[in-house]
């Protein structure tokens, strides 16, 4: 009869010792060996006619070992479910006498395992205080968006020469030495750059330049830091290469003629809305869009604050030694003790959030139904295709087929499940926390967003 002994070996860390006797496993071993004899395929013998002794000699030990391990695992799992142990991961094996497993001398075997227990903890969402940022949409923001749309839907013209910073240049960069001689096997790449992307002091060199003109330059002199980085990355280079020399050949000078504020432009900018007849209609529509964007961003910010509050304020203890050992052996690739120690803090934060969100989801009865995932797939399709879907007429069937296809994609279903579940959970928590309105400028709000990019 198998026995299991449990002893505490550290904080939330127990040792389970499983002892199994011959009668726990020997009958199954015998049965499995007979099964093996019926199906064994050994040259020189007809199937099912292999002598039992030979089968035992060839397969016996591995069938025996498998049976002992299977019995231990079965006993361990039954014990853990009987005792309702809430553990992290799987039990980790400790010392055992597997080396002594011998089918010719079957006896009692002892196996020890270490388990890490999940902590119990208290939390109350009513204590959470958050800021709800309120961003007022200024005329300047609307002006900027109108100008951006006019440029986006404008016409490209080809003026004779560069006259202002809105000109677009198609260029070819060719690597040279300091005196402008083309480098053998150097980098060559076409690009398209707005004049205003060049650094202020370099721009005057471009005024009056025409197609086929060549300028010799160093990337870090011709562009400011951020733009220089983008251009270098496009050339397949890094920041350190910023002082290399290039000939920049102008292959075309372009200028976007901004779209006129007429109905043709309104329809191009908002294809699904034919109520926009005047510039003020357009400005109102843009204002609504920007407000919606900020409203959603402010909500995400509340979610972010709830997340951080929970991580900082919910007190929880962890079986540190067990988890570090689990980090070393539990993943796809084994890790060293140093790697496990280094990864431990962020790993524990993830664990902590998983425990908190699992409990909150249960308390708030958060459920994700197959229908939610189907709708999520459709919403995704709408955001990819946007206005093009309207042009496809009655395409309900096509959308349904797309959703059906995505429901077969295991990874999509898993990812969507987590995203929808998080969205529903935070939606529920939003109604429970105390949110105080705080007016803020769009610049300051952008800084807050930049500061937080994690989940």
């Amino acid at each position: 009869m198998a026995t299991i002994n449990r002893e505490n070996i550290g904080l939330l860390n127990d040792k389970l010792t499983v002892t199994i006797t011959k009668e726990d496993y020997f009958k199954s071993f015998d049965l499995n060996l007979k099964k093996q004899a019926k199906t064994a395929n050994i040259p020189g013998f007809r199937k099912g006619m292999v002598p039992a002794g030979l089968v035992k000699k060839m397969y016996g030990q591995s069938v025996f070992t498998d049976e002992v391990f299977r019995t231990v695992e079965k006993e361990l799992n039954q014990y853990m479910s009987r005792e309702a142990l809430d553990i992290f991961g799987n039990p980790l094996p400790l010392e055992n006498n597997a080396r002594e497993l011998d089918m010719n001398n079957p006896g009692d075997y002892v196996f020890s395992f270490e388990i890490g227990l999940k902590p119990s903890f208290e939390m109350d969402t009513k204590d959470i205080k958050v800021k709800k940022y309120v961003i007022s949409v200024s005329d300047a923001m609307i002006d900027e968006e109108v100008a951006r749309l006019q440029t986006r839907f404008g016409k490209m013209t080809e003026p004779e020469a560069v006259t202002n910073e809105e000109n677009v240049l198609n260029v070819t960069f060719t690597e040279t030495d300091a005196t402008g001689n083309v480098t053998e096997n150097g980098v060559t790449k076409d690009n398209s750059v707005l004049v205003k992307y060049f650094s202020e002091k370099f721009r005057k060199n471009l005024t009056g330049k025409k197609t086929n003109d060549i300028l010799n330059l160093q990337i870090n002199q011709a562009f400011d830091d951020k733009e220089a980085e983008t251009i270098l990355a496009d050339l397949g280079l890094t920041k350190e290469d910023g002082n290399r020399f290039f000939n920049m050949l102008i292959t075309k000078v372009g200028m976007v003629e901004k779209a006129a504020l007429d109905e043709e432009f309104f329809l191009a900018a908002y294809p699904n809305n034919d109520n926009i007849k005047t510039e003020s209609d357009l400005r109102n529509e843009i204002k609504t869009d920007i407000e919606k964007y900020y409203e959603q961003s402010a909500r995400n910010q509340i979610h972010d604050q709830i997340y951080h509050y929970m991580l900082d304020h919910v007190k929880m203890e962890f079986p540190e030694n067990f988890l570090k050992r689990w980090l070393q052996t539990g993943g796809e690739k084994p890790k060293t003790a140093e790697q496990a120690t280094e990864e431990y803090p962020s790993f524990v934060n993830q664990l902590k959030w998983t425990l908190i969100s699992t409990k909150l989801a249960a308390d708030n009865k958060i459920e994700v139904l197959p229908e939610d995932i189907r709708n999520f797939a459709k919403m995704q399709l709408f955001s990819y295709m946007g206005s093009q879907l309207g042009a496809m007429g009655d395409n309900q069937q096509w959308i349904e087929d797309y959703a059906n296809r995505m429901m077969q994609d295991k990874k999509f279903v898993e990812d969507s499940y987590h995203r929808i579940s998080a969205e529903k959970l935070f939606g529920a928590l939003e109604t429970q926390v105390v949110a105080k309105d705080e007016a803020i400028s769009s610049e300051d709000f952008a800084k807050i967003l930049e500061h937080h990019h994690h989940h």
Side-chain angles (χ1 to χ4, degrees):
M1 178 68 190
T3 60
I4 293 192
N5 181 34
R6 175 180 175 187
E7 61 176 306
N8 179 257
I9 53 172
L11 174 69
L12 295 169
N13 194 355
D14 286 1
K15 177 178 170 181
L16 301 179
T17 306
V18 185
T19 307
I20 58 170
T21 60
K22 181 176 168 181
E23 66 254 27
D24 292 317
Y25 60 82
F26 201 79
K27 219 164 126 187
S28 304
F29 160 64
D30 229 18
L31 272 171
N32 280 340
L33 205 55
K34 288 188 177 118
K35 259 190 222 158
Q36 192 84 35
K38 286 198 180 104
T39 56
N41 209 342
I42 297 175
F45 293 97
R46 290 221 307 281
K47 205 172 181 179
M49 303 303 279
V50 184
L54 183 59
V55 171
K56 187 168 183 182
K57 199 169 156 193
M58 290 185 70
Y59 301 112
Q61 188 57 47
S62 76
V63 172
F64 183 80
T65 305
D66 286 350
E67 200 46 57
V68 169
F69 284 151
R70 215 177 56 76
T71 308
V72 170
E73 194 177 342
K74 188 181 82 191
E75 293 295 340
L76 188 62
N77 288 337
Q78 282 174 347
Y79 174 83
M80 290 197 305
S81 80
R82 207 167 47 241
E83 297 289 318
L85 298 182
D86 198 4
I87 68 166
F88 286 118
N90 295 319
L92 295 177
L94 291 166
E95 72 286 347
N96 60 55
N97 53 4
R99 282 184 303 283
E100 298 158 26
L101 297 183
D102 176 5
M103 66 172 176
N104 297 314
N105 295 305
D108 296 359
Y109 295 109
V110 180
F111 287 83
S112 301
F113 298 88
E114 179 187 9
I115 55 171
L117 298 154
K118 291 183 182 174
S120 56
F121 56 95
E122 293 304 315
M123 56 185 180
D124 188 0
T125 50
K126 305 274 184 296
D127 301 339
I128 304 178
K129 302 199 173 20
V130 295
K131 293 175 181 171
K132 182 174 192 291
Y133 292 109
V134 182
I135 299 97
S136 58
V137 179
S138 66
D139 283 344
M141 286 154 121
I142 300 171
D143 293 342
E144 201 178 308
E145 184 57 16
V146 171
R148 196 187 67 77
L149 287 169
Q150 280 180 285
T151 303
R152 189 178 155 199
F153 294 103
K155 290 185 195 58
M156 180 64 88
T157 61
E158 290 189 38
E160 186 78 359
V162 175
T163 52
N164 69 32
E165 58 179 35
E166 293 297 331
N167 282 124
V168 186
L169 300 182
N170 284 8
V171 298
T172 304
F173 288 110
T174 309
E175 196 173 347
T176 67
D177 60 18
T179 54
N181 299 314
V182 175
T183 312
E184 211 176 318
N185 302 327
V187 180
T188 300
K189 190 95 198 315
D190 295 334
N191 207 323
S192 173
V193 201
L194 272 165
V195 170
K196 67 174 169 198
Y197 288 161
F198 287 88
S199 68
E200 210 166 320
K201 60 176 193 291
F202 188 84
R203 277 178 224 158
K204 53 181 182 296
N205 302 328
L206 294 167
T207 309
K209 290 286 179 274
K210 302 183 168 71
T211 302
N212 293 330
D213 282 347
I214 296 177
L215 288 92
N216 190 260
L217 52 81
Q218 286 168 290
I219 304 290
N220 58 9
Q221 300 297 317
F223 298 93
D224 293 328
D225 292 353
K226 207 168 146 199
E227 279 74 23
E229 227 168 286
T230 310
I231 300 278
L232 285 165
D234 191 61
L235 291 166
L237 301 172
T238 61
K239 217 167 162 176
E240 284 66 54
D241 303 309
N243 53 3
R244 291 199 197 177
F245 286 87
F246 286 88
N247 274 342
M248 183 179 80
L249 164 72
I250 298 175
T251 54
K252 183 169 141 190
V253 178
M255 180 75 187
V256 175
E257 199 177 287
K258 288 188 172 167
L261 293 167
D262 56 20
E263 282 198 34
E264 186 188 341
F265 162 62
F266 300 150
L267 204 57
Y270 284 92
N272 296 332
N273 183 343
D274 41 21
N275 297 325
I276 303 175
K277 305 291 185 206
T278 64
E279 185 183 345
S280 82
D281 293 345
L282 176 75
R283 292 178 72 85
N284 287 336
E285 195 60 40
I286 287 173
K287 186 176 185 191
T288 307
D289 278 355
I290 298 176
E291 280 169 350
K292 267 192 207 142
Y293 165 77
Y294 278 127
E295 179 70 24
Q296 187 52 49
S297 297
R299 273 192 66 200
N300 292 345
Q301 233 344 84
I302 288 180
H303 300 173
D304 201 78
Q305 293 169 61
I306 294 173
Y307 169 83
H308 281 291
Y309 182 94
M310 289 287 188
L311 276 187
D312 296 343
H313 291 79
V314 174
K315 295 281 172 274
M316 234 182 258
E317 297 188 301
F318 287 95
E320 185 170 332
N321 292 337
F322 169 83
L323 289 174
K324 283 182 179 168
R325 204 162 101 77
W326 187 44
L327 264 178
Q328 281 177 259
T329 56
E332 291 183 1
K333 282 203 294 230
K335 294 186 168 85
T336 63
E338 291 80 47
Q339 284 172 313
T341 302
E342 197 181 313
E343 286 175 28
Y344 183 73
S346 70
F347 172 67
V348 156
N349 255 352
Q350 279 174 333
L351 272 189
K352 188 173 182 180
W353 178 248
T354 304
L355 293 173
I356 292 173
S357 57
T358 306
K359 188 173 186 321
L360 284 170
D363 292 350
N364 288 282
K365 302 185 175 49
I366 301 296
E367 258 189 314
V368 178
L369 306 169
E371 212 31 53
D372 295 325
I373 297 174
R374 286 181 64 84
N375 290 334
F376 185 71
K378 291 180 189 175
M379 291 307 294
Q380 238 187 11
L381 182 65
F382 289 136
S383 70
Y384 292 151
M385 305 287 290
S387 54
Q388 290 165 313
L389 277 177
M392 291 173 65
D394 187 17
N395 46 25
Q396 273 324 99
Q397 193 46 51
W398 188 75
I399 295 167
E400 291 301 328
D401 292 346
Y402 173 80
N404 290 338
R405 235 187 5 261
M406 293 313 282
M407 291 300 281
Q408 306 307 312
D409 180 338
K410 194 162 166 275
K411 188 170 174 352
F412 171 81
V413 170
E414 246 170 58
D415 293 349
S416 309
Y417 177 89
H418 291 304
R419 284 180 59 175
I420 298 164
S421 158
E423 190 57 38
K424 285 189 174 192
L425 175 60
F426 280 114
L429 295 177
E430 226 179 301
T431 61
Q432 298 164 19
V433 300
V434 182
K436 198 163 155 251
D437 282 3
E438 181 168 316
I440 188 172
S441 72
S442 59
E443 292 78 19
D444 288 345
F445 186 61
K447 279 184 199 138
I448 290 174
L449 291 188
E450 215 166 282
H451 199 64
H452 280 152
H453 272 307
H454 59 247
H455 67 267

